[in-house]
Structures are given as structure tokens and as C-alpha cells.
Amino acid sequence: MSNRYHLWVSGCQMNGSDARRLADVLDSAGMSAAENFEDAGVAILYTCSVRQSAEDRVHGQLGHLKSLKARHPDLMLCVTGCMAGVDQAELRERYPFVDLFVAPTEMESLPRLILGSTANRDACAPTSRSHGPRVPVSVGVTVIRGCDKFCSYCIVPYRRGQQRSRPEQEILEEVSSLLARGAKEIVLLGQTVDAWGRDLDPPRGLASLLREVAALPGLARLRFLTSHPNDFTPDLIEAIADVPRLCEELNLPIQAGDDEILRRMARRYTVSQYTDLVARIRATIPDIALSTDVIVGFPGETVEQFEHTLDVLRQVEFDVVHVAAYSPRPGTAAARKMVDDVPAPEKLRRLHQIEELQTALSTRKNNRLIGQEVELLVEGRQKGKWRGRTRSNKLLFLESDLNLRGELVTAVVEAAGPWSLRGRLETSAAGPLSTGSPGSR
Ligand code: SAM
Ligand code: SF4
Ligand code: F3S
């Protein structure tokens, strides 16, 4: 049992990508993944601090693990991710049964700490591995860590540290190995991914990295997220327009549609600077899919200021909007200097209003796709259907007896809802399903 590990991952894709890298190292050292905590000798929690609700989920999980640890004292418990990225004394006091707390900035030491522990020493005869286990069709690769923006509401810079770009060679090697193991789509990740390379010596830019990654053999599709509007340069628009494997899709958080709120959020752009950027992007790539993030109920946000956000959502017509109610994060400028004065029920009302508006806008947008041919990358099976994504990152479900996993196919959209599409297979080079059991993937 001691050579099996279980990863519990919450939060953003950054945690997902860190967890995958750890799993790779543990696998190559002879360990293997367990389905659940009960079957594991090592449990690692990738935690998130972005809102109080995210931290509450971790506290719930640790409550559950306390009794498991009491029954299995040999279980090694590690807590990493953003909650561990702070003075850990308080956590240690509250959870004395946790063996290890590892800050996200210290992540590199995690494999050594786990593999070096007495419980695992015997199990871990390192094996050399040229091609490791199979990976999902779409895989995220962190290219820039940390963040220097210090938006007034945000905990990330305090927990993930300064912005640090990974060197290009290291990224290309990781992507190549993922492609060799079956990945078809690579998503380059960072809190401000469009700032990639500025801190390298000599400085580099994301557009050139995208072009190099896109040229790697075996890659079907490339995406990147999250972009900060102030770091988004014209050469990125050109890259999306002329690199065929780079999908026409962007995650460009606006956060609020009111200049005064944006100023107090320390986002350092105005609504018109944001909408001008969108107009420039759409002038070159008219069908680009745009997703965004919005916070409602920021300190001092009046109903009128909130309505400015609704206006901008109507004007821009995003494909997807991720909306969150403001949650004060201890230590951030907003929590220190501003009063969290929008009552919780009012935050919820604003949140629902945005969701309702966006559901209508997304439905209308998706309905326009009915009857159209779309390029689909099929990721796997779900409830008896094949699940894939369009270039615009929309989910599409279709039925087929062929084995379509990892295939780029053409589908025709037959029906649309706000969150997904349904279609039929038009063309595919895939073989019949009988070669494998699709339900197990
Ligand atoms: N780097 C990205 C950006 O510049 O927008 C996103 C970072 S954050 C990990 C993901 C999202 O969480 C943000 O876009 C924001 O909408 C939301 N968020 C961050 N801090 C928050 C807070 N204190 N309360 C509510 N939502 C928050
Ligand atoms: Fe947080 Fe702002 Fe950095 Fe995004 S850009 S991670 S919102 S500080
Ligand atoms: Fe959460 Fe940290 Fe990501 S706070 S959203 S896990 S960067």
C-alpha cells in the first residue's frame, strides 16, 4: 500500500499541471496512483485560496482525512498548493496530523520529500522511463509561475510568489514528451501567460514560444491561458491569425465593467482600453471565441456600477463568463483598506443576474452554429457519447461506433444549449471501436 499515492486537486489549472508533473515523477520512481485516499500510502492535497469557499472545501477534506489518519497512522499526508503558500504555523497547529506542508514556490522539493520518506524508500526503485504512462488528450503545461500584478482583491501573488518564466528549452522538452505519450492538445498556462519571457535573459515573447510549440510533431492543437489585457501584444493577434494549430480562443478576464471599480481593483486598464483591445483582436480574427472572468460585489460597488458590467457583457458578447462573488482575502490590499460592504444576498443577486444574462447570450451564440461544420478534437467518452471540443473550446457530444479518442474529426452541429453542443460525425480517419473499450477511458 505504501507505494501508492492519491492526489486531490482543487483550484485552477496551475494546480492540475503541478499535480500531473508530480504524478509523473512518482510513477517513474515505481509508485502508482490509487483511486482513493483509503487505498493510498501517500495522500497529497493541491489546495486553493482564491475565495473563502475554496479554503472551506480543503478544511472539509482535512476533517475527513483526520479520521482516516487515525485509522491508518502510516498514511503520509502532504498539503501543497496555495493554502500552503503562507506562514504555515497556523495550519500546522490546526492540523498536527499532516506530515508535510509544501509551499507552491517549494514544489520542486516535493518528490524528494515523498520518495525519501521511510515509508516509501523500499517501494521506490527508480526506473528509467522513455515514454511513461499515457496522458489525457488535452494537457496543461505551466510556462510562467507566480504573478507580479497584485490586483487588490487577489491572493495569488502572495501565495505563488514573483512572476518567473520557465526557459523555452525546458517547456519544449516537456511538451515533446507529453506528445510522445499521446497528448494531442497542449494548453500553455500562467496567471499572466501573455507576459511569458519578459523576465528571461535575453527577454522573450509568448508569440515566438507559441510558434515553436506549434511546430512540434504530433501536436494537433495549441491554446494558452490566462491573458492579462495589459500584456496582450499585437504579435499575439498575428500568431493566432496565422498559426493553424493555434486555436481561435482567448481567456481575457475583464473583472468589472466600471472604470472606478477597475481602478480600485488595481487592474490598470479602463473599460474602453479593454473593449478597444477586443475590437483590435476581432478586426483580425472575427470569429475568435472569448471567455472572461467577473467579480461581483467588490467593496463599494453600487448597483449602477454593477449595471455597467452588465452593459459591457451585452456589448462584447463573450462566449463564456466565469462569475464570482467577491470574497475578502486576508493580507490583500482590498481586505486591508476597503470595507466588504455589499451584503451577501445582494452579491448573490448580482451573480445570478450575470449568469442569467450570459445564459441567454451563450445560447444565442451557440444557436448560430446549428447546421455548421466544426473541427472537433475528441477527448473521451461520457455517458455513452463521445465528448470533444471545437476550436472555439465548446463542448460537443456525438455518437459513433468508431474509436475517436484523440482524433481530429469534422462534425456537424445539430443542437445547441448554453453550455454544450450536440452533433453528428461527418468525417474521420478513425478505425472501428472494437479495438478497445471506450467506456473505460
Ligand atoms: N490571472 C487571472 C486574471 O488576471 O484575471 C485570474 C486569476 S484568479 C486565480 C481566477 C479568478 O478568480 C479571477 O479572475 C477572479 O475573477 C477570481 N478571484 C480572484 N480573487 C477573488 C476574490 N478575492 N474574490 C472573488 N473572486 C476572486
Ligand atoms: Fe491575481 Fe491579478 Fe495576478 Fe490575475 S493578474 S493572478 S487576478 S493578481
Ligand atoms: Fe487557487 Fe492558487 Fe490557482 S489560489 S486559483 S490554486 S493560483
Side-chain angles (χ1 to χ4, degrees):
M1 162 158 145
S2 66
N3 69 338
R4 304 191 65 194
Y5 64 86
H6 182 68
L7 304 181
W8 181 85
V9 186
S10 62
C12 63
Q13 289 95 337
M14 235 58 75
N15 268 355
S17 150
D18 289 339
R20 179 194 42 79
R21 277 159 56 93
L22 177 68
D24 278 354
V25 181
L26 298 184
D27 288 345
S28 61
M31 295 186 75
S32 62
E35 289 278 312
N36 49 48
F37 289 121
E38 283 73 13
D39 295 337
V42 182
I44 305 124
L45 272 60
Y46 283 82
T47 62
C48 173
S49 292
V50 76
R51 286 179 284 280
Q52 190 55 44
S53 54
E55 294 207 345
D56 291 345
R57 270 195 297 281
V58 177
H59 291 304
Q61 199 56 247
L62 283 167
H64 163 74
L65 286 170
K66 182 180 181 177
S67 57
L68 185 66
K69 177 86 175 179
R71 277 181 280 129
H72 302 286
D74 286 350
L75 173 70
M76 180 184 184
L77 266 181
C78 313
V79 173
T80 184
C82 286
M83 267 174 89
V86 71
D87 175 18
Q88 294 162 354
E90 209 183 302
L91 283 173
R92 284 182 204 282
E93 196 171 321
R94 186 161 172 185
Y95 300 111
F97 56 91
V98 170
D99 299 276
L100 271 179
F101 289 95
V102 179
T105 45
E106 308 289 323
M107 205 83 78
E108 304 298 323
S109 63
L110 204 47
R112 187 173 43 78
L113 293 169
I114 293 173
L115 297 170
S117 79
T118 342
N120 297 295
R121 209 165 284 152
D122 315 336
C124 301
T127 52
S128 77
R129 184 188 51 170
S130 51
H131 34 250
R134 207 158 163 202
V135 290
V137 171
S138 176
V139 188
V141 173
T142 301
V143 298
I144 179 167
R145 305 184 199 280
C147 182
D148 289 345
K149 291 274 191 284
F150 287 93
C151 301
S152 64
Y153 51 82
C154 184
I155 194 93
V156 172
Y158 300 89
R159 301 294 170 92
R160 296 251 164 189
Q162 267 192 324
Q163 181 180 297
R164 301 164 320 275
S165 299
R166 289 177 69 197
E168 183 168 356
Q169 201 49 40
E170 195 181 302
I171 297 165
L172 293 173
E173 279 165 21
E174 183 175 349
V175 172
S176 300
S177 107
L178 290 165
L179 295 172
R181 291 161 57 193
K184 297 289 179 193
E185 176 178 276
I186 297 292
V187 188
L188 302 186
L189 301 173
Q191 293 299 353
T192 52
V193 71
D194 47 348
W196 180 84
R198 283 184 207 165
D199 55 319
L200 291 176
D201 184 18
R204 304 292 322 274
L206 182 67
S208 69
L209 178 68
L210 287 166
R211 287 176 194 273
E212 286 186 57
V213 175
L216 293 174
L219 181 89
R221 279 182 178 176
L222 181 59
R223 303 181 191 275
F224 59 99
L225 65 100
T226 303
S227 297
H228 191 287
N230 289 2
D231 291 325
F232 206 84
T233 46
D235 59 350
L236 284 169
I237 305 180
E238 280 167 37
I240 301 172
D242 60 42
V243 176
R245 290 167 171 180
L246 189 49
C247 292
E248 299 76 18
E249 186 239 340
L250 274 182
N251 180 235
L252 198 63
I254 185 168
Q255 307 298 0
D258 180 88
D259 284 345
E260 172 58 16
I261 297 294
L262 284 175
R263 191 184 62 74
R264 292 198 293 115
M265 285 179 160
R267 288 293 289 182
R268 299 183 174 85
Y269 52 80
T270 61
V271 175
S272 68
Q273 283 168 335
Y274 183 95
T275 52
D276 285 354
L277 172 62
V278 169
R280 282 198 303 279
I281 297 169
R282 283 185 168 156
T284 310
I285 314 152
D287 56 351
I288 190 142
L290 290 177
S291 63
T292 202
D293 294 7
V294 167
I295 296 175
V296 294
F298 186 77
E301 185 188 62
T302 63
V303 169
E304 197 187 349
Q305 288 170 327
F306 164 68
E307 281 169 0
H308 291 159
T309 299
L310 290 176
D311 292 341
V312 178
L313 298 190
R314 277 189 210 102
Q315 183 196 333
V316 176
E317 288 199 27
F318 291 98
D319 292 75
V320 175
V321 175
H322 306 282
V323 55
Y326 171 71
S327 167
R329 306 319 293 135
T332 60
R336 280 185 281 117
K337 298 184 199 148
M338 302 174 205
V339 183
D340 180 21
D341 56 359
V342 179
E346 175 60 13
K347 284 181 185 165
L348 207 59
R349 189 191 69 81
R350 294 180 193 180
L351 188 135
H352 287 153
Q353 213 176 331
I354 292 204
E355 284 178 342
E356 207 173 305
L357 168 68
Q358 191 53 39
T359 305
L361 292 172
S362 301
T363 306
R364 203 171 69 195
K365 236 179 190 194
N366 290 348
N367 273 333
R368 288 188 209 130
L369 295 171
I370 294 176
Q372 288 192 21
E373 279 191 357
V374 290
E375 181 199 272
L376 196 72
L377 177 61
V378 181
E379 294 177 352
R381 298 280 284 179
Q382 193 174 322
K383 293 186 186 154
K385 295 196 170 74
W386 287 107
R387 186 197 67 238
R389 286 182 187 271
T390 64
R391 290 180 69 86
S392 57
N393 213 13
K394 294 185 196 290
L395 266 178
L396 187 147
F397 294 92
L398 57 74
E399 287 179 36
S400 167
D401 293 335
L402 300 175
N403 187 359
L404 299 180
R405 187 182 186 276
E407 296 289 327
L408 264 187
V409 303
T410 305
V412 174
V413 181
E414 294 184 315
W419 322 122
S420 68
L421 311 169
R422 196 160 49 72
R424 68 165 189 273
L425 184 65
E426 192 71 2
T427 52
S428 144
L433 249 188
S434 53
T435 48
S437 112
S440 63
R441 298 248 167 243

